[in-house]
Amino acid sequence: MSPGRRRLAAILGTGPVPPDAGRGGGEGVRTRDHLANSRTFLAWMRLALTLVAAGLSIDKLDVLLSLTHGHSDAGAGDNRGAALALVVAGGVLANLAFARFLLQRRVIEGPALRSRVLLDATLIGIAGVTGVLMTLLVLRTR
């Protein structure tokens, strides 16, 4: 196997499992850890897709309101920046969630199970800032 393929297999976690992998307790514990990692990844992806859907909904609702109120410049509403920020935040969150998933997969398969908090804190920070943005948007449109 070439060094590039070996590195890719190590990053994706598809290579052979080392005998001292995981946190002990046998194959069942490691399997549970991988399943928990997958569930966490899917939860972050649901949040990312929700942010993208909210951004697209805000943009389309803004266009609809512009058309119904007779504005000639349809779609040039005040909420376009907020909608774009939500879509971008959803995309960034999805990419960071995937990076976190791969990192945790490698940690589970590694000889020493250690926690990586910085990436989780970044994900939570993006979700929190987006929540504040949505709250401000709702308060401004009332």
Side-chain angles (χ1 to χ4, degrees), residues 31-45:
T31 300
R32 272 196 309 266
D33 288 346
H34 279 297
L35 292 173
N37 187 30
S38 296
R39 284 190 301 271
T40 303
F41 171 66
L42 291 174
W44 282 115
M45 290 304 293

Side-chain angles (χ1 to χ4, degrees), residues 114-133:
R114 61 199 176 282
S115 178
R116 303 280 175 104
V117 179
L118 182 63
L119 191 53
D120 289 342
T122 304
L123 289 167
I124 290 170
I126 290 173
V129 167
T130 306
V132 169
L133 177 68

Side-chain angles (χ1 to χ4, degrees), residues 96-142:
L96 287 175
F98 185 64
R100 183 204 175 278
F101 171 76
L102 291 177
L103 177 70
Q104 283 303 114
R105 184 177 173 139
R106 200 168 28 170
V107 166
I108 291 168
E109 291 296 329
L113 191 64
R114 61 199 176 282
S115 178
R116 303 280 175 104
V117 179
L118 182 63
L119 191 53
D120 289 342
T122 304
L123 289 167
I124 290 170
I126 290 173
V129 167
T130 306
V132 169
L133 177 68
M134 286 296 294
T135 302
L136 293 175
L137 179 68
V138 168
L139 290 175
R140 192 186 78 194
T141 56
R142 288 194 127 201

